[in-house]
Amino acid sequence: MSNTTNILDFVLVGFSENQEVQILHSSVFLIMYLFILGGNLLIIFLILFNHCLHTPMYFFLINLSIGDLGGTSAIIPKSIINALMNSKWISYSECVTQLFFYLSFLSSNFFFLTIMAYDRYIAICYPLHFASIMKWSSCIKMAGGAWVIGFLHAALHTGNIFSMPFCSNIINQFFCEVPQLIKLFCPGSYLGETWILIFSSGLEIGCLSFIILSYVWIFTTVLRMSSIEKREKAFSTCIPHIIVVSLLVGSSLLAHLILPANSPSRLDQVFTTLYAVVPSLMNPIIYSMRNKDVKIALRKLVG
């Protein structure tokens, strides 16, 4: 196939051609997806209907849960349907749509994690100015900015990728993933996407650097506190966020940088699942298990 005009469908290789393995794959993904739906919807419900949780941190947590729901909904249902129907096909338009929405929610979530680090920084380092800085109008503007930038970033990435000529339509993954789509480019078509990847990497490194710098100042401030009780309270509000960021960044680095380029396809797909699905599954568990306010709200709901 010489260019994109000849490609009407893509082939998603998936985990295996064996019917039993496909059934296992669909069952595992279905269970994970149901847990993601249930856990994130529960977090959203608890925050919306508990006035004690109507604070900027939990407002951004709602947005993070929406991002988790959207990102996984963009890739998991199609993978489950293909496995159940013993099919590997995804249409060109479906692949474009899947990549756009997945990148949109993933990018927005990374921005929300950055905003949440800023929220903790202001709350712990400048508690007297927190109410004036983190006003609801400011929070809504930051959230709106995160969504807009996330969707613009996804549109830039998606538009650029699908403007390139493809010399193959076989995607060695269970969804339309950027690195696998780049491998399908015809020789000499990499330069345009290289600049986009450099821009995206710079954006991600900037957000990650801001998060790290925020926690350096937070830990410096916490260690200066004379009260052990205040230290524990400050750390308790930061630990879930640190775990979530570490899980997302660590699994992404493992899948894209640590694994060699010629790694076995099945191993590559397993590690892709770690960063594409597992963080969305673990986020509600981390915030419900490590956050005292969420646990209290959950007990009230159950009670």
Side-chain angles (χ1 to χ4, degrees):
M1 297 183 182
S2 59
N3 53 49
T4 53
T5 58
N6 294 329
I7 295 180
L8 300 177
D9 300 284
F10 289 96
V11 178
L12 298 173
V13 172
F15 290 91
S16 174
E17 294 184 1
N18 186 288
Q19 184 65 30
E20 293 179 356
V21 176
Q22 288 184 6
I23 293 173
L24 177 63
H25 156 221
S26 62
S27 301
V28 172
F29 267 43
L30 179 60
I31 292 170
M32 294 174 71
Y33 186 56
L34 291 176
F35 271 102
I36 290 169
L37 286 177
N40 284 285
L41 288 174
L42 178 62
I43 290 289
I44 294 171
F45 179 82
L46 286 175
I47 295 172
L48 286 177
F49 294 96
N50 193 309
H51 294 286
C52 297
L53 301 181
H54 289 182
T55 63
M57 181 176 73
Y58 295 108
F59 169 70
F60 295 126
L61 181 56
I62 284 181
N63 285 272
L64 189 69
S65 293
I66 293 172
D68 287 334
L69 289 172
T72 51
S73 296
I75 61 175
I76 293 182
K78 179 62 178 179
S79 181
I80 294 173
I81 291 171
N82 275 8
L84 290 175
M85 297 181 65
N86 195 23
S87 170
K88 295 182 179 296
W89 295 98
I90 181 170
S91 70
Y92 186 90
S93 58
E94 282 180 318
C95 191
V96 173
T97 305
Q98 186 182 74
L99 182 65
F100 171 73
F101 281 106
Y102 174 71
L103 288 179
S104 298
F105 289 112
L106 182 65
S107 302
S108 298
N109 268 13
F110 205 68
F111 295 135
F112 279 116
L113 289 172
T114 306
I115 295 172
M116 291 169 79
Y118 176 71
D119 171 78
R120 291 299 84 207
Y121 165 71
I122 298 298
I124 294 172
C125 298
Y126 299 97
L128 298 178
H129 300 282
F130 181 80
S132 60
I133 296 175
M134 300 300 290
K135 297 181 292 186
W136 279 112
S137 58
S138 301
C139 293
I140 292 171
K141 289 177 183 177
M142 285 189 281
W147 285 117
V148 170
I149 296 173
F151 275 80
L152 289 176
H153 176 251
L156 180 66
H157 236 325
T158 306
N160 190 70
I161 286 175
F162 286 96
S163 67
M164 298 294 175
F166 293 100
C167 285
S168 174
N169 69 335
I170 300 175
I171 302 174
N172 189 28
Q173 197 52 267
F174 64 90
F175 72 100
C176 293
E177 189 195 23
V178 172
Q180 297 299 329
L181 285 168
I182 292 175
K183 291 180 181 179
L184 307 183
F185 288 173
C186 295
S189 304
Y190 295 91
L191 186 60
E193 181 61 18
T194 300
W195 291 109
I196 303 295
L197 289 174
I198 292 173
F199 170 74
S200 300
S201 300
L203 201 62
E204 292 168 5
I205 291 171
C207 290
L208 185 59
S209 300
F210 183 87
I211 292 172
I212 293 172
L213 188 61
S214 297
Y215 276 107
V216 169
W217 284 106
I218 287 171
F219 290 146
T220 302
T221 302
V222 171
L223 292 174
R224 289 175 182 171
M225 293 178 178
S226 56
S227 171
I228 297 176
E229 184 179 349
K230 288 183 178 179
R231 288 184 189 179
E232 291 178 351
K233 185 177 180 180
F235 278 127
S236 68
T237 62
C238 295
I239 288 175
H241 181 261
I242 294 172
I243 296 173
V244 169
V245 172
S246 301
L247 181 62
L248 178 61
V249 174
S251 57
S252 299
L253 289 174
L254 186 64
H256 292 142
L257 296 180
I258 297 176
L259 279 179
N262 58 352
S263 62
S265 60
R266 300 295 176 265
L267 185 62
D268 183 51
Q269 290 166 6
V270 169
F271 281 107
T272 299
T273 304
L274 284 180
Y275 88 86
V277 180
V278 173
S280 300
L281 176 67
M282 295 303 297
N283 287 355
I285 299 173
I286 292 167
Y287 273 101
S288 61
M289 294 297 292
R290 296 293 308 177
N291 192 294
K292 187 182 293 185
D293 294 331
V294 174
K295 285 195 286 186
I296 291 172
L298 185 58
R299 287 188 193 127
K300 287 182 179 179
L301 177 67
V302 174

